[in-house]
Amino acid sequence: MAPRIARGQEGTGLDQIGEADVEATVRAVLRDILGISVGRVAAFTDDTELFGALPEFDSMAVAGVLTELEDRLGILIDDEDVDGEMLATFGALTRFAAARALH
Amino acid sequence: MIDHYDWPGGREAMLRFGPDTGPVVVMLLPLFEEHNRTRAFAVTICRALAAMSVASLVPDLPGQGESVLATQSATLADWRNAVKSLSEAQGAVRPVFMASMRGGAVADSVAGVCGVWRLSPITGYAVLADLQRAQSIGGEPNLSMSGPDSPPVNLVGNLIGWPLFNELLNDDVLREALAPLRTVRLESDPAPADIKFPGAPLWRRAEPGNDGALAQLLAADIADWVLACGG
């Protein structure tokens, strides 16, 4: 199948996005897709464990989180790059997203 | 109220809300997993519309819900044909509006309706990509189909036959609406829209959910727009 078409890239004003914006977006996506409260998500640190530790973040939720990140950040995530490591902590997921959003 | 409608391929069930006269909104729900996650939400919107005296219908498409057609026999052509039949039958007696959510947009380009309202529309191509992502993230092999002789593929529990697979694969541009179009998105969605509302994308969550506040906002938007279009 042909590569996924990146959505949300035209006229989105994402050219000025910085690391803080990526981190805020990852927090918002986890909140919206996993149904976690604002307060809980705000308390996530670099080391907060995600996949395998958060009951809400199971394999069914991963696809939704990744696709929502793609849409909001205007990036493309290759499913082959998805592994336990980049999902393990909030810091790892943020760095993964930032690497694709900021270049 | 549970009702039915006829199309050349048979008879399908549908939910009916609101008054028997005046404009009617045909709600086309998201497809596959997203349909399950948002059905209660869609019904909440319909009930809110009914409270605003706007009728709505939630049809099963051939191969969905209570349809006697097997899911792997569903085709996009049949979906569009069924929606066309329903719209024409309704259009004979009242103004008809289409309201599609997400992948429901693949079937909402019907001639003769007064308007088309879309919530976060996606193409058939995107629908398929999402299913294949869920499949591969879940550790299953990335399934594709090579041609008409391929057996139906099971994508995270959804049986899809070659005709539908091929139709979705080639549906990579949002179809032009054949009536005035209004596109609505969530505030978190950077894509262009006529208006954006606060709320979480319920269709992306792992489990079905609901959002009463967002349902009210969307119902009000549909109702205002239906009336503005002369419905």
Side-chain angles (χ1 to χ4, degrees):
Chain A
M1 197 171 150
R4 298 173 64 86
I5 299 165
R7 292 167 282 213
Q9 280 189 323
E10 282 186 26
T12 59
L14 289 175
D15 11 303
Q16 319 254 276
I17 196 172
E19 271 191 40
D21 300 299
V22 173
E23 194 186 291
T25 301
V26 175
R27 270 186 220 278
V29 168
L30 292 174
R31 181 199 68 217
D32 285 349
I33 306 307
L34 303 185
I36 299 174
S37 74
V38 172
R40 233 175 109 203
V41 158
F44 282 1
T45 66
D46 209 70
D47 300 322
T48 303
E49 290 181 333
L50 296 182
F51 189 70
L54 281 189
E56 299 91 342
F57 202 4
D58 57 17
S59 54
M60 288 294 291
V62 172
V65 166
L66 295 180
T67 312
E68 192 67 16
L69 281 174
E70 284 183 324
D71 285 355
R72 295 197 195 188
L73 294 172
I75 61 175
L76 279 175
I77 296 172
D78 194 329
D79 289 348
E80 287 181 3
D81 293 339
V82 177
D83 58 24
E85 215 176 291
M86 47 77 65
L87 295 170
T89 65
F90 178 70
L93 182 57
T94 303
R95 281 187 290 278
F96 181 89
R100 280 148 187 79
L102 312 169
H103 49 260
Chain B
M1 170 77 69
I2 298 176
D3 203 338
H4 66 265
Y5 71 98
D6 293 312
W7 68 288
R11 171 168 286 189
E12 307 296 344
M14 69 181 179
L15 299 177
R16 185 158 57 80
F17 302 88
D20 294 330
T21 56
V24 65
V25 176
V26 176
M27 301 274 303
L28 300 180
L29 266 54
L31 303 176
F32 306 115
E33 295 303 302
E34 291 191 4
H35 183 124
N36 302 333
R37 296 166 183 162
T38 57
R39 191 166 176 93
F41 176 58
V43 167
T44 305
I45 296 172
C46 290
R47 292 197 168 119
L49 277 172
M52 299 170 193
S53 299
V54 176
S56 59
L57 306 170
V58 183
D60 275 356
L61 299 182
Q64 280 184 351
E66 309 305 324
S67 180
V68 296
L69 189 73
T71 43
Q72 62 262 39
S73 301
T75 72
L76 185 45
D78 279 349
W79 289 349
R80 289 173 175 158
N81 208 356
V83 173
K84 178 171 173 288
S85 297
L86 170 60
S87 301
E88 283 173 353
Q90 292 291 317
V93 295
R94 61 204 306 193
V96 176
F97 293 80
M98 304 301 306
S100 70
M101 298 165 59
R102 300 285 295 163
V106 301
D108 71 4
S109 290
V110 178
V113 301
C114 302
V116 177
W117 182 97
R118 287 177 174 166
L119 171 62
S120 302
I122 55 172
T123 61
Y125 183 95
V127 167
L128 208 51
D130 282 351
L131 283 176
Q132 292 189 313
R133 159 162 281 170
Q135 183 82 359
S136 74
I137 297 285
E140 300 294 326
N142 196 0
L143 299 174
S144 192
M145 302 182 87
S146 51
D149 297 329
S150 299
V153 69
N154 184 331
L155 290 176
V156 284
N158 297 280
L159 281 173
I160 300 175
W162 164 254
L164 179 58
F165 187 94
N166 193 41
E167 287 164 319
L168 292 175
L169 191 64
N170 289 298
D171 186 74
D172 57 1
V173 176
L174 283 175
R175 300 185 97 211
E176 224 174 287
L178 302 176
L181 172 66
R182 180 170 176 81
T183 300
V184 166
R185 295 182 187 276
L186 300 180
E187 284 175 351
S188 55
D189 188 343
D194 293 302
I195 189 169
K196 297 191 180 182
F197 291 104
L202 297 174
W203 47 86
R204 285 258 158 87
R205 292 190 171 172
E207 300 293 329
N210 209 341
D211 185 338
L214 179 58
Q216 284 292 325
L217 290 174
L218 296 177
D221 192 73
I222 295 172
D224 286 346
W225 181 70
V226 163
L227 293 172
C229 287

